[in-house]
Amino acid sequence: AVPAGHKSIISFRQLRDDVFGELANVDQVSGIKWQRFPDLNKLLKGHRKGELTVFTGPTGSGKTTFISECALDLCIQGVNTLWGSFEINNVRLAKIMLTQFAMQRLDDQLDNYDEWADKFENLPLFFMTFHGQHSIKSVIDTMQHAVYMYDISHIVIDNLQFMMGQEHLSVERFS
């Protein structure tokens, strides 16, 4: 039998020369390095504009906390970042991120809130106002607008299952 081709499926043969080019020019394909995560740089070679990185794990395993730290690291370096939090509301997310940014619990030190909020406010950080299930088209339209208007080069979507209204989406259905 002769395999039927598909325009969206290729083999390594079509990628071979480009793969060699990336291996031969590692420094040219590296992205902005995380300052606080040197081991992550070893794995991912930094954040590269236009690249998709997926973090997955069970509920409560720290995905949002970790991704928030990574996003803050990039924001501090001037990388314009857009957050789409579909699981937790933006006030709670901003509180988590502000606490991470200040590296101290601000609820115990409210006198320091304005000082840290002023610094945090100056980061190139934007939040989409979606929460829960939304159409992919409206989310993509918003992201495209943000990329154009705010020169966004890092987008975080947290949590894809909540955005799509499939909180119980299982990887098994793709196996």
Side-chain angles (χ1 to χ4, degrees):
V2 176
H6 190 280
K7 67 179 180 179
S8 297
I9 300 174
I10 61 174
S11 71
F12 180 72
R13 180 171 284 127
Q14 288 90 5
L15 301 172
R16 184 180 179 136
D17 291 340
D18 291 333
V19 169
F20 179 81
E22 289 206 5
L23 289 170
N25 300 295
V26 172
D27 291 338
Q28 292 177 356
V29 295
S30 291
I32 296 171
K33 304 284 193 248
W34 287 277
Q35 295 177 344
R36 298 188 285 179
F37 301 103
D39 288 341
L40 190 60
N41 290 324
K42 291 177 190 173
L43 291 172
L44 300 179
K45 308 297 183 228
H47 164 71
R48 291 179 292 276
K49 188 174 183 175
E51 185 170 87
L52 173 67
T53 304
V54 176
F55 287 92
T56 185
T59 301
S61 63
K63 297 178 302 293
T64 299
T65 302
F66 178 69
I67 295 167
S68 173
E69 288 282 359
C70 289
L72 282 171
D73 188 302
L74 294 172
C75 282
I76 291 167
Q77 295 182 67
V79 176
N80 294 6
T81 298
L82 177 67
W83 256 90
S85 179
F86 295 87
E87 184 176 7
I88 63 174
N89 69 44
N90 284 334
V91 172
R92 184 169 165 221
L93 175 62
K95 181 184 93 172
I96 291 167
M97 294 182 81
L98 176 61
T99 301
Q100 290 172 320
F101 179 69
M103 294 187 208
Q104 59 184 287
R105 291 185 56 134
L106 294 173
D107 55 352
D108 294 341
Q109 303 174 33
L110 291 176
D111 292 343
N112 295 335
Y113 175 79
D114 284 329
E115 174 189 346
W116 285 106
D118 288 345
K119 293 176 184 177
F120 188 76
E121 193 174 85
N122 289 320
L123 292 175
L125 179 61
F126 302 86
F127 300 91
M128 287 189 268
T129 58
F130 301 118
H131 188 258
Q133 183 176 356
H134 287 275
S135 76
I136 292 175
K137 181 182 179 344
S138 64
V139 174
I140 289 175
D141 287 347
T142 302
M143 291 188 304
Q144 287 176 327
H145 178 82
V147 167
Y148 179 75
M149 293 300 296
Y150 303 108
D151 196 28
I152 297 296
S153 61
H154 181 227
I155 299 174
V156 176
I157 299 294
D158 181 34
N159 180 305
L160 190 60
Q161 291 100 315
F162 280 82
M163 180 188 87
M164 297 176 67
Q166 300 175 359
E167 292 88 353
H168 305 290
L169 180 67
S170 172
V171 177
E172 292 171 7
R173 78 180 253 207
F174 299 110
S175 305

